[in-house]
Amino acid sequence: MPRLLLRDSVTLKIGGGRDENDDPIPATNVPIRAAVIPISGDTQAMRGRSTTLTTYRLVVADPRIEQVTTVLWRGKTYTLEGLPMPYRVGGRHHHFEVLMSLGQG
């Protein structure tokens, strides 16, 4: 089975929200190893403002990524775009890939 080069440290924010009594549920920060691959950086002018959207591919082996909506990496909070996609190699689970983005402006 091919090895993953998980060179980056990211923190997954798991949980949070509110329970049935509308009480806050604390989120848990889980540090894991990952590969963060740049996909795009797009700058647009909209209504006189300069906005930037940066997108990365996040590759992780941890199945808890399916419970995550935000990822902390290098001091910034990224939002996951869509659901994590599981990849299989040789009929066995190998890793998950998902896009994460950060919009500013």
Side-chain angles (χ1 to χ4, degrees):
M1 189 177 285
R3 285 189 62 180
L4 286 174
L5 297 176
L6 304 178
R7 297 181 177 159
D8 297 299
S9 294
V10 300
T11 301
L12 306 178
K13 189 168 222 151
I14 298 175
R18 298 200 169 269
D19 66 9
E20 63 275 353
N21 296 326
D22 203 32
D23 294 326
I25 300 171
T28 305
N29 291 333
V30 179
I32 65 167
R33 302 295 296 167
V36 180
I37 305 160
I39 299 293
S40 70
D42 184 22
T43 304
Q44 302 177 19
M46 181 185 294
R47 295 185 183 151
R49 290 177 52 186
S50 178
T51 60
T52 303
L53 177 67
T54 307
T55 306
Y56 294 91
R57 175 174 285 125
L58 180 66
V59 179
V60 299
D62 195 322
R64 292 178 286 186
I65 190 70
E66 294 181 309
Q67 305 167 21
V68 172
T69 55
T70 59
V71 175
L72 284 78
W73 181 56
R74 295 186 177 175
K76 296 188 180 181
T77 303
Y78 292 82
T79 303
L80 296 186
E81 303 296 331
L83 297 173
M85 298 178 292
Y87 280 83
R88 300 176 76 80
V89 175
R92 297 176 62 187
H93 170 74
H94 189 255
H95 69 275
F96 292 91
E97 291 186 15
V98 64
L99 296 180
M100 65 180 196
S101 64
L102 174 66
Q104 296 177 341

